[in-house]
Amino acid sequence: MTDSPQRPSAAQSPMGLALSPRATLTGWRRRALLALATATLAGGACAQAPAQEWAPTRPVRIIVPIVGSTNDVLARLVAPKLQEALGQPVIVDNRPGAGGNIGADMVAKAPPDGLTLLVGYNGPLAINVTLMDKMPYDPVKDLQPITLAVKAPQYLVVNAKSDIKSLADLVAKAKAHPDKYSYASIAIGSASHLTMEMFKLAAGINLTHVPYKGSNLAVTDLIAGNVDAGFFVPGNVQQFVQQGKLRLLASSGPKRFASTPDVPTIAESGYKGFEATSWIGFLTAPNTPRPIVDRYHRELVKILTSPEISQKLHDMEFEVVADTPEQFSGWIKSEIVRWGQVIKATGAKVD
């Protein structure tokens, strides 16, 4: 005899009752749908949970690659506010030398842990690439921009006791005595240096370059009469102009300052198109994770645009920029091209 086919036995419920195959399938379907719904809700809750914000666990250093400058002033304005926001000590560390390259190189070679920041400026970020034969770092590849903080034009000043009374007077005297007059700069390759080189080329004059390590000594020697002229950002010299120790001849900006409406720009004094801008920004080590960069960007923009700090910067004749890391990166690249053209046109060299 042939065995008759066996029918599947009914499943047993937890209570011992027989369940039909259809009932069993329905039960499994319900359990699957319930599990899927639970997982979806859990996933949604995880997606909505905020990511933990990065914060330093050790002190932060702000490297200032030049002494006695507005870079240092800016760093010391920002440091206490940043310390309050981060909950860790923020130390300003001056590391001058090589036109700002020493300090910038320290940050370029620092670990990407968010504990080292750079207060960078034209020199080590845009000018030195063309001015110097060798660079220990690449300002585009080896530094991570956070934000361009401020911009400022330059004041052309002379000693208040000088017989140079105006911009035209400076040009006339320099042409009459090509080897007599000198100018101070805050550092080789700084905007202070190259702005005067630009003007020398535009005016067809010669002035002997006397570079210093920072603005303090340069301004002190100018007040003492040891040098004849110089371009400086307003924050370095405005108090001495107000005290009658320095005479302000012109500014390198595109328009007159509201605080000095009687002082002409170089462009309107017969040198059409002449414009030179100094700027300062915050950067950190290369390959720093984006959450760290974003945290610093958010805090620095908040500090720079706060009523207290923005007013102090305005009083120093700074324009607050506070842009994005991407915008700052693009600015650095464009400034490398711009100052490179100036250096090639003027023949400026590292003295």
Side-chain angles (χ1 to χ4, degrees), residues 256-279:
R256 297 189 183 196
F257 289 146
S259 60
T260 53
D262 296 332
V263 178
T265 66
I266 293 174
E268 68 179 284
S269 301
Y271 304 93
K272 187 177 180 180
F274 189 98
E275 182 181 342
T277 304
S278 293
W279 47 269

Side-chain angles (χ1 to χ4, degrees), residues 140-209:
V140 173
K141 296 178 181 178
D142 297 336
L143 289 166
Q144 169 60 54
I146 299 173
T147 185
L148 175 58
V150 294
K151 292 180 183 178
Q154 304 254 340
Y155 275 154
L156 175 57
V157 292
V158 296
N159 187 294
K161 297 178 182 179
S162 169
D163 60 353
I164 300 171
K165 306 298 183 183
S166 66
L167 185 67
D169 204 15
L170 172 63
V171 173
K173 285 180 167 56
K175 285 184 175 180
H177 306 281
D179 300 320
K180 179 179 178 181
Y181 294 96
S182 62
Y183 78 94
S185 79
I186 66 170
I188 294 172
S190 64
S192 173
H193 170 201
L194 291 181
T195 300
M196 183 62 87
E197 291 298 318
M198 287 174 62
F199 182 66
K200 283 167 57 178
L201 183 67
I205 60 174
N206 180 59
L207 299 171
T208 302
H209 180 207

Side-chain angles (χ1 to χ4, degrees), residues 43-117:
C46 291
Q48 294 173 3
Q52 186 173 2
E53 188 173 57
W54 175 84
T57 56
R58 288 181 289 155
V60 173
R61 278 195 309 164
I62 300 180
I63 302 295
V64 180
I66 188 170
V67 295
S69 67
T70 49
N71 298 60
D72 186 73
V73 173
L74 178 63
R76 294 181 190 281
L77 279 176
V78 167
K81 302 293 184 182
L82 193 59
Q83 179 171 306
E84 182 180 338
L86 299 177
Q88 286 289 335
V90 176
I91 303 160
V92 177
D93 187 359
N94 294 95
R95 296 300 182 104
N101 280 4
I102 290 176
D105 189 46
M106 289 179 65
V107 181
K109 292 178 171 58
D113 55 10
L115 299 180
T116 310
L117 303 182

